[in-house]
Amino acid sequence: MKSIPLPPAEELSAAELIALDHRHIWHPFTPMSAWFEKEDPLIITHGQDEYLYDIQGREYIDGVSSLWCNIHGHRNPELDAAVIRQTHKVAHTTLLGACNVPSIQLAHLLAEIAPAGLEKVFYSDNGSTAVEIAIKMAFQYWRNIGRKEKTTFLSMSSAYHGDTLGAVSVGYVEAFHTIYRPICFPTLQAELPILPVFSPANSSIKTIVPYLDFTKWDNMIMQLLEENAHKIAGIIVEPVIQGAGGMRMQPYGTLTRLRKLCDQYEVLLICDEVMTGFGRTGSLFACDHEHQSPDFLCLSKGLTGGYMPLGATLTNQKIFVAFCGDPNAGKTFFHGHTFTGHPLACEVARTSLALLLREDLPARAMQIGQWLSEELAPLAGHPHVGDVRITGAVAGVELVQRRTPYTPFPWQRRVGGEICQRLRAHGVLLRPLGDVIVIMPPLTTGEDNIRHIGKSLRLVLEGFSFPATN
Ligand SMILES: *Cc1c(COP(=O)(O)O)cnc(C)c1O
Protein backbone atom coordinates (compact mmCIF):
# COMPACT_ATOMS: atom_id res chain seq x y z
CA MET A 1 0.00 0.00 0.00
CA LYS A 2 1.13 3.51 -0.81
CA SER A 3 2.19 5.41 2.28
CA ILE A 4 0.50 8.78 2.60
CA PRO A 5 2.50 11.64 4.07
CA LEU A 6 0.52 13.68 6.56
CA PRO A 7 2.74 16.47 7.80
CA PRO A 8 1.03 19.32 9.66
CA ALA A 9 0.49 22.28 7.34
CA GLU A 10 3.00 24.40 9.24
CA GLU A 11 5.83 22.16 8.15
CA LEU A 12 5.28 22.92 4.48
CA SER A 13 6.96 26.05 3.22
CA ALA A 14 4.98 28.67 1.33
CA ALA A 15 6.64 27.53 -1.88
CA GLU A 16 5.68 23.92 -1.25
CA LEU A 17 2.09 24.84 -0.45
CA ILE A 18 1.82 26.94 -3.59
CA ALA A 19 3.20 24.12 -5.69
CA LEU A 20 0.62 21.74 -4.23
CA ASP A 21 -2.15 24.29 -4.65
CA HIS A 22 -1.18 24.66 -8.29
CA ARG A 23 -1.12 20.93 -8.73
CA HIS A 24 -4.46 20.14 -7.08
CA ILE A 25 -6.76 23.04 -6.38
CA TRP A 26 -9.26 24.39 -8.86
CA HIS A 27 -10.22 27.77 -7.41
CA PRO A 28 -13.78 29.09 -7.62
CA PHE A 29 -14.65 31.86 -10.08
CA THR A 30 -10.99 31.91 -11.11
CA PRO A 31 -9.36 31.96 -14.54
CA MET A 32 -6.86 29.28 -13.62
CA SER A 33 -4.13 30.11 -16.15
CA ALA A 34 -3.95 33.59 -14.72
CA TRP A 35 -3.88 32.10 -11.22
CA PHE A 36 -0.71 30.16 -12.02
CA GLU A 37 1.00 33.40 -13.04
CA LYS A 38 0.22 35.22 -9.80
CA GLU A 39 3.48 36.19 -8.19
CA ASP A 40 2.40 36.15 -4.61
CA PRO A 41 -0.71 34.06 -3.98
CA LEU A 42 -2.10 34.67 -0.54
CA ILE A 43 -1.96 31.78 1.91
CA ILE A 44 -3.98 32.60 4.99
CA THR A 45 -2.90 30.74 8.09
CA HIS A 46 -4.95 32.35 10.84
CA GLY A 47 -7.12 35.24 11.88
CA GLN A 48 -8.00 37.33 14.90
CA ASP A 49 -10.88 39.82 15.13
CA GLU A 50 -10.97 41.77 11.84
CA TYR A 51 -7.46 40.66 10.90
CA LEU A 52 -6.18 37.83 8.75
CA TYR A 53 -2.55 36.71 8.69
CA ASP A 54 -0.69 35.10 5.84
CA ILE A 55 2.05 32.52 5.91
CA GLN A 56 4.71 35.23 5.86
CA GLY A 57 3.13 36.72 8.98
CA ARG A 58 1.75 39.77 7.20
CA GLU A 59 -1.38 41.29 8.71
CA TYR A 60 -4.43 42.32 6.71
CA ILE A 61 -7.79 43.82 7.53
CA ASP A 62 -10.42 41.38 6.25
CA GLY A 63 -12.25 44.09 4.30
CA VAL A 64 -14.77 41.74 2.67
CA SER A 65 -15.61 39.61 5.73
CA SER A 66 -14.14 36.48 4.11
CA LEU A 67 -16.57 36.72 1.24
CA TRP A 68 -19.40 38.57 2.99
CA CYS A 69 -19.84 35.96 5.73
CA ASN A 70 -17.97 37.04 8.80
CA ILE A 71 -19.90 39.20 11.27
CA HIS A 72 -18.07 39.15 14.62
CA GLY A 73 -14.47 38.94 13.42
CA HIS A 74 -12.32 35.85 13.53
CA ARG A 75 -11.82 33.62 16.54
CA ASN A 76 -14.62 35.10 18.53
CA PRO A 77 -14.37 33.35 21.91
CA GLU A 78 -18.13 32.74 22.21
CA LEU A 79 -18.41 31.28 18.73
CA ASP A 80 -15.29 29.16 19.21
CA ALA A 81 -16.83 27.88 22.44
CA ALA A 82 -20.12 27.08 20.72
CA VAL A 83 -18.38 24.85 18.19
CA ILE A 84 -16.41 23.07 20.90
CA ARG A 85 -19.44 22.73 23.17
CA GLN A 86 -21.48 21.07 20.43
CA THR A 87 -18.54 18.92 19.30
CA HIS A 88 -18.52 17.44 22.79
CA LYS A 89 -22.16 16.41 22.32
CA VAL A 90 -22.50 15.35 18.69
CA ALA A 91 -21.20 16.81 15.42
CA HIS A 92 -23.81 15.61 12.96
CA THR A 93 -27.12 13.78 13.05
CA THR A 94 -29.90 13.83 10.45
CA LEU A 95 -33.19 15.73 10.32
CA LEU A 96 -34.67 12.97 8.16
CA GLY A 97 -36.99 11.30 10.65
CA ALA A 98 -35.26 12.78 13.70
CA CYS A 99 -34.68 16.08 15.48
CA ASN A 100 -31.63 17.65 17.03
CA VAL A 101 -31.45 20.25 19.74
CA PRO A 102 -29.51 23.12 18.08
CA SER A 103 -31.62 23.08 14.90
CA ILE A 104 -34.82 23.42 16.97
CA GLN A 105 -33.45 26.24 19.06
CA LEU A 106 -32.09 28.09 16.05
CA ALA A 107 -35.38 27.78 14.15
CA HIS A 108 -37.24 29.22 17.12
CA LEU A 109 -34.86 32.16 17.31
CA LEU A 110 -34.98 32.79 13.55
CA ALA A 111 -38.78 32.81 13.62
CA GLU A 112 -38.68 35.33 16.48
CA ILE A 113 -36.43 37.81 14.71
CA ALA A 114 -37.47 37.34 11.07
CA PRO A 115 -40.01 39.57 9.32
CA ALA A 116 -43.60 38.88 10.37
CA GLY A 117 -45.13 35.49 9.66
CA LEU A 118 -41.95 33.67 8.64
CA GLU A 119 -42.12 30.89 11.18
CA LYS A 120 -41.27 27.78 9.17
CA VAL A 121 -37.58 27.04 8.68
CA PHE A 122 -36.16 24.66 6.07
CA TYR A 123 -32.42 24.14 6.46
CA SER A 124 -29.78 23.53 3.83
CA ASP A 125 -26.05 24.05 3.39
CA ASN A 126 -25.47 27.32 1.55
CA GLY A 127 -27.03 30.28 -0.22
CA SER A 128 -27.62 28.53 -3.53
CA THR A 129 -29.54 25.71 -1.90
CA ALA A 130 -31.55 28.17 0.21
CA VAL A 131 -32.63 29.74 -3.10
CA GLU A 132 -33.27 26.39 -4.82
CA ILE A 133 -35.58 25.44 -1.97
CA ALA A 134 -37.56 28.67 -2.23
CA ILE A 135 -37.94 28.19 -5.99
CA LYS A 136 -39.08 24.59 -5.67
CA MET A 137 -41.46 25.40 -2.82
CA ALA A 138 -42.99 28.34 -4.70
CA PHE A 139 -43.46 26.19 -7.79
CA GLN A 140 -44.98 23.31 -5.83
CA TYR A 141 -47.20 25.60 -3.75
CA TRP A 142 -49.20 26.54 -6.84
CA ARG A 143 -49.39 22.89 -7.98
CA ASN A 144 -50.57 21.84 -4.55
CA ILE A 145 -53.41 24.34 -4.58
CA GLY A 146 -54.42 23.46 -8.13
CA ARG A 147 -52.91 26.39 -10.04
CA LYS A 148 -50.69 24.31 -12.30
CA GLU A 149 -50.27 27.08 -14.87
CA LYS A 150 -48.09 29.13 -12.49
CA THR A 151 -44.69 27.70 -13.33
CA THR A 152 -42.37 30.53 -14.22
CA PHE A 153 -40.34 33.08 -12.25
CA LEU A 154 -39.64 36.75 -12.65
CA SER A 155 -36.15 37.82 -11.69
CA MET A 156 -34.10 40.97 -11.97
CA SER A 157 -31.33 42.12 -14.27
CA SER A 158 -27.93 41.89 -12.54
CA ALA A 159 -29.40 39.41 -10.05
CA TYR A 160 -27.16 36.83 -8.46
CA HIS A 161 -28.71 33.99 -6.48
CA GLY A 162 -26.00 31.34 -6.49
CA ASP A 163 -24.37 28.81 -8.78
CA THR A 164 -26.55 25.71 -8.81
CA LEU A 165 -28.69 25.46 -11.92
CA GLY A 166 -31.95 26.66 -10.42
CA ALA A 167 -30.17 29.63 -8.87
CA VAL A 168 -28.37 30.31 -12.17
CA SER A 169 -31.72 30.21 -14.01
CA VAL A 170 -32.95 33.18 -11.97
CA GLY A 171 -29.57 34.95 -12.18
CA TYR A 172 -28.63 37.63 -14.65
CA VAL A 173 -24.98 38.48 -14.31
CA GLU A 174 -23.92 38.11 -17.91
CA ALA A 175 -20.31 37.14 -17.23
CA PHE A 176 -21.30 34.21 -14.98
CA HIS A 177 -24.62 33.05 -16.36
CA THR A 178 -24.78 33.34 -20.14
CA ILE A 179 -22.87 30.17 -20.88
CA TYR A 180 -25.29 28.00 -18.88
CA ARG A 181 -28.54 29.36 -20.41
CA PRO A 182 -29.08 26.27 -22.58
CA ILE A 183 -29.28 24.03 -19.50
CA CYS A 184 -31.36 26.44 -17.38
CA PHE A 185 -35.13 26.88 -17.19
CA PRO A 186 -36.44 30.02 -18.87
CA THR A 187 -37.53 32.95 -16.71
CA LEU A 188 -38.90 36.43 -17.16
CA GLN A 189 -36.60 39.33 -16.50
CA ALA A 190 -37.26 42.84 -15.22
CA GLU A 191 -35.11 45.83 -14.34
CA LEU A 192 -34.90 47.12 -10.79
CA PRO A 193 -35.06 50.85 -10.23
CA ILE A 194 -31.54 51.86 -9.26
CA LEU A 195 -30.34 54.94 -7.54
CA PRO A 196 -28.96 57.51 -9.93
CA VAL A 197 -25.19 57.40 -10.39
CA PHE A 198 -23.38 59.93 -8.18
CA SER A 199 -25.99 59.43 -5.53
CA PRO A 200 -24.70 61.06 -2.38
CA ALA A 201 -22.80 58.47 -0.41
CA ASN A 202 -25.09 57.72 2.45
CA SER A 203 -24.75 55.45 5.39
CA SER A 204 -28.42 55.25 6.13
CA ILE A 205 -30.93 53.86 3.72
CA LYS A 206 -33.70 55.68 5.56
CA THR A 207 -32.23 59.00 4.57
CA ILE A 208 -31.38 58.10 1.00
CA VAL A 209 -33.07 60.68 -1.17
CA PRO A 210 -36.28 59.01 -2.19
CA TYR A 211 -36.22 57.97 -5.81
CA LEU A 212 -38.34 60.76 -7.12
CA ASP A 213 -39.90 59.12 -10.09
CA PHE A 214 -41.00 55.51 -9.82
CA THR A 215 -43.59 56.04 -12.56
CA LYS A 216 -41.60 54.53 -15.39
CA TRP A 217 -40.63 51.50 -13.33
CA ASP A 218 -44.15 51.06 -11.98
CA ASN A 219 -45.51 51.04 -15.52
CA MET A 220 -42.91 48.62 -16.77
CA ILE A 221 -43.39 46.08 -14.03
CA MET A 222 -47.17 46.40 -13.97
CA GLN A 223 -47.34 45.71 -17.68
CA LEU A 224 -45.13 42.67 -17.23
CA LEU A 225 -47.42 41.37 -14.50
CA GLU A 226 -50.64 42.22 -16.38
CA GLU A 227 -49.44 40.08 -19.24
CA ASN A 228 -47.71 37.27 -17.36
CA ALA A 229 -48.88 36.98 -13.75
CA HIS A 230 -51.18 34.06 -14.62
CA LYS A 231 -48.07 31.96 -15.30
CA ILE A 232 -45.70 33.45 -12.69
CA ALA A 233 -45.14 31.44 -9.52
CA GLY A 234 -42.87 33.98 -7.88
CA ILE A 235 -40.72 37.08 -8.09
CA ILE A 236 -37.21 36.70 -6.73
CA VAL A 237 -35.19 39.70 -5.63
CA GLU A 238 -32.19 40.66 -3.53
CA PRO A 239 -33.84 43.37 -1.46
CA VAL A 240 -32.09 46.75 -0.99
CA ILE A 241 -28.72 45.66 -2.43
CA GLN A 242 -27.94 43.38 -5.36
CA GLY A 243 -24.66 41.79 -4.30
CA ALA A 244 -22.54 39.99 -6.88
CA GLY A 245 -24.20 42.01 -9.66
CA GLY A 246 -22.08 44.95 -8.43
CA MET A 247 -23.43 46.18 -5.09
CA ARG A 248 -26.31 47.87 -6.87
CA MET A 249 -28.55 49.65 -4.42
CA GLN A 250 -32.26 50.20 -4.78
CA PRO A 251 -34.15 53.34 -3.87
CA TYR A 252 -36.26 53.26 -0.73
CA GLY A 253 -39.75 52.07 -1.56
CA THR A 254 -38.83 49.40 -4.10
CA LEU A 255 -39.56 46.46 -1.82
CA THR A 256 -42.87 47.92 -0.65
CA ARG A 257 -43.93 48.23 -4.28
CA LEU A 258 -42.89 44.67 -5.07
CA ARG A 259 -44.79 43.32 -2.07
CA LYS A 260 -47.91 45.20 -3.06
CA LEU A 261 -47.70 44.05 -6.67
CA CYS A 262 -47.18 40.45 -5.59
CA ASP A 263 -50.34 40.60 -3.48
CA GLN A 264 -52.29 42.31 -6.21
CA TYR A 265 -51.25 39.85 -8.93
CA GLU A 266 -51.16 36.66 -6.82
CA VAL A 267 -47.45 36.07 -7.13
CA LEU A 268 -45.16 34.86 -4.34
CA LEU A 269 -42.29 37.08 -3.21
CA ILE A 270 -38.90 35.47 -2.63
CA CYS A 271 -36.33 37.67 -0.91
CA ASP A 272 -32.76 36.47 -1.22
CA GLU A 273 -31.04 37.93 1.83
CA VAL A 274 -28.07 35.60 1.67
CA MET A 275 -25.82 38.67 1.51
CA THR A 276 -27.96 41.39 3.11
CA GLY A 277 -29.12 39.39 6.15
CA PHE A 278 -27.81 39.67 9.70
CA GLY A 279 -27.15 43.34 10.09
CA ARG A 280 -25.07 44.24 7.05
CA THR A 281 -27.42 46.90 5.73
CA GLY A 282 -28.01 48.52 9.11
CA SER A 283 -31.07 46.49 10.08
CA LEU A 284 -31.29 42.84 11.03
CA PHE A 285 -32.72 42.03 7.59
CA ALA A 286 -32.88 44.31 4.56
CA CYS A 287 -36.66 43.69 4.44
CA ASP A 288 -36.92 45.40 7.83
CA HIS A 289 -36.00 48.78 6.33
CA GLU A 290 -39.38 48.86 4.65
CA HIS A 291 -41.18 46.64 7.18
CA GLN A 292 -42.10 44.15 4.51
CA SER A 293 -42.36 40.41 4.79
CA PRO A 294 -41.73 38.12 1.82
CA ASP A 295 -43.26 34.67 1.32
CA PHE A 296 -39.77 33.20 1.34
CA LEU A 297 -36.63 34.52 2.97
CA CYS A 298 -33.34 32.91 1.87
CA LEU A 299 -30.47 33.08 4.34
CA SER A 300 -26.91 31.84 4.52
CA LYS A 301 -23.52 33.66 4.52
CA GLY A 302 -23.75 35.58 7.83
CA LEU A 303 -26.12 33.07 9.43
CA THR A 304 -23.34 31.34 11.36
CA GLY A 305 -21.27 34.50 11.69
CA GLY A 306 -19.19 33.02 8.88
CA TYR A 307 -18.11 30.00 10.91
CA MET A 308 -19.83 27.13 9.12
CA PRO A 309 -21.77 26.48 5.95
CA LEU A 310 -25.48 26.68 6.67
CA GLY A 311 -28.50 27.84 4.71
CA ALA A 312 -32.09 28.43 5.75
CA THR A 313 -35.26 29.12 3.79
CA LEU A 314 -38.00 30.68 5.89
CA THR A 315 -41.62 30.71 4.87
CA ASN A 316 -45.08 31.33 6.30
CA GLN A 317 -48.05 29.30 7.38
CA LYS A 318 -49.96 29.95 4.14
CA ILE A 319 -47.25 28.21 2.11
CA PHE A 320 -46.72 25.48 4.67
CA VAL A 321 -50.32 24.32 4.93
CA ALA A 322 -50.47 23.79 1.16
CA PHE A 323 -47.92 21.01 1.67
CA CYS A 324 -49.93 19.26 4.40
CA GLY A 325 -52.65 16.64 4.11
CA ASP A 326 -52.89 12.97 3.20
CA PRO A 327 -49.35 11.61 2.65
CA ASN A 328 -50.65 9.94 -0.51
CA ALA A 329 -51.95 13.20 -1.99
CA GLY A 330 -48.52 14.02 -3.42
CA LYS A 331 -48.16 17.33 -1.59
CA THR A 332 -44.98 16.53 0.31
CA PHE A 333 -41.87 18.60 -0.28
CA PHE A 334 -39.41 15.95 -1.42
CA HIS A 335 -36.18 17.79 -0.86
CA GLY A 336 -33.42 17.48 1.69
CA HIS A 337 -29.69 17.47 2.08
CA THR A 338 -27.46 15.08 3.95
CA PHE A 339 -26.35 17.90 6.22
CA THR A 340 -29.76 19.57 6.62
CA GLY A 341 -29.94 21.08 10.10
CA HIS A 342 -26.31 20.33 10.90
CA PRO A 343 -26.00 20.58 14.71
CA LEU A 344 -22.54 22.18 14.81
CA ALA A 345 -23.58 24.82 12.29
CA CYS A 346 -26.90 25.44 14.03
CA GLU A 347 -25.30 25.81 17.45
CA VAL A 348 -22.78 28.35 16.21
CA ALA A 349 -25.54 30.18 14.28
CA ARG A 350 -27.66 30.43 17.41
CA THR A 351 -24.72 31.80 19.35
CA SER A 352 -23.86 34.24 16.58
CA LEU A 353 -27.43 35.56 16.48
CA ALA A 354 -27.55 36.03 20.22
CA LEU A 355 -24.31 37.98 20.03
CA LEU A 356 -25.53 40.05 17.08
CA LEU A 357 -28.59 41.09 19.05
CA ARG A 358 -26.76 41.64 22.32
CA GLU A 359 -24.13 43.87 20.72
CA ASP A 360 -26.68 45.62 18.47
CA LEU A 361 -24.48 45.09 15.43
CA PRO A 362 -27.00 46.53 12.95
CA ALA A 363 -26.37 49.87 14.66
CA ARG A 364 -22.64 49.25 14.31
CA ALA A 365 -23.19 48.70 10.59
CA MET A 366 -24.73 52.17 10.34
CA GLN A 367 -21.78 53.62 12.19
CA ILE A 368 -19.34 51.86 9.84
CA GLY A 369 -21.27 53.28 6.89
CA GLN A 370 -20.91 56.75 8.35
CA TRP A 371 -17.13 56.39 8.74
CA LEU A 372 -16.85 54.95 5.25
CA SER A 373 -18.86 57.73 3.69
CA GLU A 374 -16.63 60.32 5.37
CA GLU A 375 -13.52 58.64 4.04
CA LEU A 376 -14.88 57.94 0.58
CA ALA A 377 -16.62 61.27 -0.01
CA PRO A 378 -13.51 62.88 -1.57
CA LEU A 379 -13.59 60.16 -4.24
CA ALA A 380 -16.70 61.71 -5.74
CA GLY A 381 -14.37 64.14 -7.52
CA HIS A 382 -12.01 61.49 -8.90
CA PRO A 383 -12.15 61.28 -12.71
CA HIS A 384 -12.20 57.47 -12.68
CA VAL A 385 -14.70 57.00 -9.89
CA GLY A 386 -18.11 56.57 -11.46
CA ASP A 387 -20.06 56.09 -8.28
CA VAL A 388 -19.70 55.60 -4.55
CA ARG A 389 -22.59 53.64 -3.05
CA ILE A 390 -22.99 52.92 0.65
CA THR A 391 -25.79 51.25 2.59
CA GLY A 392 -25.08 50.21 6.15
CA ALA A 393 -21.67 48.53 6.26
CA VAL A 394 -21.66 47.75 2.53
CA ALA A 395 -19.88 50.00 0.06
CA GLY A 396 -19.28 49.79 -3.67
CA VAL A 397 -16.84 52.11 -5.43
CA GLU A 398 -17.34 51.84 -9.17
CA LEU A 399 -14.35 52.63 -11.37
CA VAL A 400 -14.90 53.86 -14.90
CA GLN A 401 -12.79 54.89 -17.85
CA ARG A 402 -14.83 58.04 -18.28
CA ARG A 403 -17.71 59.48 -16.31
CA THR A 404 -19.46 61.24 -19.17
CA PRO A 405 -20.37 59.63 -21.34
CA TYR A 406 -20.36 56.79 -18.88
CA THR A 407 -17.69 54.39 -20.17
CA PRO A 408 -16.52 51.31 -18.27
CA PHE A 409 -12.99 49.98 -18.58
CA PRO A 410 -12.64 47.00 -20.85
CA TRP A 411 -13.12 44.09 -18.41
CA GLN A 412 -9.98 42.43 -19.76
CA ARG A 413 -7.94 45.19 -18.12
CA ARG A 414 -8.99 43.95 -14.66
CA VAL A 415 -8.57 47.42 -13.18
CA GLY A 416 -10.56 46.48 -10.06
CA GLY A 417 -8.36 43.45 -9.51
CA GLU A 418 -5.17 45.47 -9.81
CA ILE A 419 -6.39 48.07 -7.34
CA CYS A 420 -7.19 45.36 -4.80
CA GLN A 421 -3.81 43.74 -5.38
CA ARG A 422 -2.13 47.06 -4.50
CA LEU A 423 -4.24 47.48 -1.39
CA ARG A 424 -2.53 44.44 0.04
CA ALA A 425 0.63 46.50 0.55
CA HIS A 426 -1.49 48.72 2.82
CA GLY A 427 -2.64 45.72 4.84
CA VAL A 428 -6.12 45.74 3.34
CA LEU A 429 -7.79 42.73 1.73
CA LEU A 430 -10.59 43.61 -0.65
CA ARG A 431 -12.08 41.72 -3.55
CA PRO A 432 -13.66 43.52 -6.48
CA LEU A 433 -16.71 42.65 -8.53
CA GLY A 434 -15.35 43.55 -11.94
CA ASP A 435 -14.46 47.21 -11.52
CA VAL A 436 -16.60 47.74 -8.46
CA ILE A 437 -14.41 47.75 -5.35
CA VAL A 438 -16.42 46.16 -2.57
CA ILE A 439 -15.95 47.07 1.08
CA MET A 440 -17.85 44.91 3.56
CA PRO A 441 -15.85 44.43 6.77
CA PRO A 442 -16.89 42.43 9.82
CA LEU A 443 -19.39 44.46 11.84
CA THR A 444 -17.06 44.57 14.83
CA THR A 445 -14.27 46.31 12.90
CA GLY A 446 -12.91 49.33 14.75
CA GLU A 447 -13.11 52.93 13.55
CA ASP A 448 -9.37 53.25 12.86
CA ASN A 449 -9.43 50.22 10.61
CA ILE A 450 -12.53 51.34 8.74
CA ARG A 451 -10.91 54.71 8.09
CA HIS A 452 -7.69 52.97 7.13
CA ILE A 453 -9.54 50.99 4.43
CA GLY A 454 -11.02 54.21 3.02
CA LYS A 455 -7.75 56.16 3.19
CA SER A 456 -5.79 53.30 1.63
CA LEU A 457 -8.23 53.05 -1.25
CA ARG A 458 -7.91 56.79 -1.84
CA LEU A 459 -4.13 56.58 -1.79
CA VAL A 460 -4.03 53.65 -4.19
CA LEU A 461 -6.44 55.38 -6.58
CA GLU A 462 -4.39 58.57 -6.47
CA GLY A 463 -1.17 56.75 -7.32
CA PHE A 464 -2.65 54.46 -9.96
CA SER A 465 -1.92 55.01 -13.61
CA PHE A 466 -5.25 54.28 -15.22
CA PRO A 467 -5.30 52.98 -18.79
CA ALA A 468 -5.26 55.88 -21.21
CA THR A 469 -8.61 57.15 -22.42
CA ASN A 470 -8.81 56.94 -26.17
C1 LIG B 1 -23.49 34.44 -2.14
C2 LIG B 1 -24.90 34.56 -2.53
C3 LIG B 1 -25.66 33.44 -2.91
C4 LIG B 1 -25.06 32.08 -3.03
O1 LIG B 1 -24.63 31.58 -1.82
P1 LIG B 1 -23.57 30.36 -1.79
O2 LIG B 1 -23.44 30.04 -0.36
O3 LIG B 1 -22.31 30.88 -2.41
O4 LIG B 1 -24.17 29.27 -2.59
C5 LIG B 1 -26.99 33.62 -3.21
N1 LIG B 1 -27.55 34.84 -3.15
C6 LIG B 1 -26.87 35.94 -2.80
C7 LIG B 1 -27.56 37.24 -2.71
C8 LIG B 1 -25.51 35.84 -2.49
O5 LIG B 1 -24.82 36.94 -2.16
Side-chain angles (χ1 to χ4, degrees), residues 84-102:
I84 293 162
R85 179 169 71 236
Q86 185 58 35
T87 309
H88 288 161
K89 292 177 181 165
V90 64
H92 175 61
T93 62
T94 180
L95 283 202
L96 295 166
C99 315
N100 71 58
V101 179

Side-chain angles (χ1 to χ4, degrees), residues 134-164:
I135 290 172
K136 285 175 74 176
M137 278 183 178
F139 169 83
Q140 192 175 342
Y141 167 80
W142 294 111
R143 300 226 128 200
N144 283 2
I145 66 162
R147 300 276 303 270
K148 291 194 166 59
E149 73 288 0
K150 286 171 86 70
T151 58
T152 194
F153 289 85
L154 176 63
S155 61
M156 304 296 158
S157 303
S158 302
Y160 176 81
H161 298 291
D163 291 330
T164 53

Side-chain angles (χ1 to χ4, degrees), residues 66-301:
S66 292
L67 213 64
W68 317 349
C69 298
N70 191 290
I71 303 265
H72 309 281
H74 299 278
R75 294 195 60 206
N76 177 283
E78 289 181 58
L79 299 189
D80 289 3
V83 177
I84 293 162
R85 179 169 71 236
Q86 185 58 35
T87 309
H88 288 161
K89 292 177 181 165
V90 64
H92 175 61
T93 62
T94 180
L95 283 202
L96 295 166
C99 315
N100 71 58
V101 179
S103 70
I104 295 171
Q105 289 183 300
L106 174 61
H108 181 53
L109 181 54
L110 282 171
E112 292 271 297
I113 62 172
L118 297 170
E119 55 182 46
K120 296 288 175 186
V121 179
F122 198 102
Y123 288 115
S124 59
D125 315 324
N126 57 62
S128 305
T129 51
V131 167
E132 295 281 336
I133 286 160
I135 290 172
K136 285 175 74 176
M137 278 183 178
F139 169 83
Q140 192 175 342
Y141 167 80
W142 294 111
R143 300 226 128 200
N144 283 2
I145 66 162
R147 300 276 303 270
K148 291 194 166 59
E149 73 288 0
K150 286 171 86 70
T151 58
T152 194
F153 289 85
L154 176 63
S155 61
M156 304 296 158
S157 303
S158 302
Y160 176 81
H161 298 291
D163 291 330
T164 53
L165 283 176
V168 169
S169 297
V170 291
Y172 283 99
V173 180
E174 208 184 313
F176 309 159
H177 296 145
T178 307
I179 189 164
Y180 304 108
R181 272 308 150 226
I183 50 169
C184 289
F185 59 79
T187 52
L188 294 161
Q189 191 186 354
E191 301 285 332
L192 274 173
I194 50 168
L195 286 167
V197 177
F198 293 122
S199 60
N202 210 315
S203 63
S204 158
I205 185 162
K206 300 228 173 65
T207 60
I208 275 179
V209 272
Y211 188 77
L212 290 180
D213 193 8
F214 269 105
T215 322
K216 214 172 121 202
W217 186 72
D218 283 342
N219 288 340
M220 180 277 297
I221 197 135
M222 265 165 75
Q223 191 183 341
L224 244 169
L225 288 169
E226 273 303 326
E227 287 166 13
N228 300 291
H230 63 281
K231 60 180 182 187
I232 298 177
I235 294 181
I236 180 162
V237 66
E238 294 154 88
V240 177
I241 310 176
Q242 286 187 313
M247 295 305 148
R248 296 156 68 94
M249 298 174 186
Q250 299 146 37
Y252 189 76
T254 307
L255 189 62
T256 306
R257 288 175 141 75
L258 279 174
R259 177 71 269 179
K260 227 170 122 190
L261 288 167
C262 282
D263 291 341
Q264 189 182 337
Y265 287 95
E266 291 190 288
V267 167
L268 299 173
L269 180 61
I270 303 170
C271 281
D272 176 354
E273 291 223 33
V274 170
M275 187 276 280
T276 52
F278 306 108
R280 289 277 172 213
T281 67
S283 60
L284 206 43
F285 299 101
C287 289
D288 296 339
H289 286 292
E290 299 192 30
H291 307 288
Q292 296 299 329
S293 191
D295 297 289
F296 298 95
L297 182 70
C298 306
L299 302 172
S300 185
K301 290 198 171 91

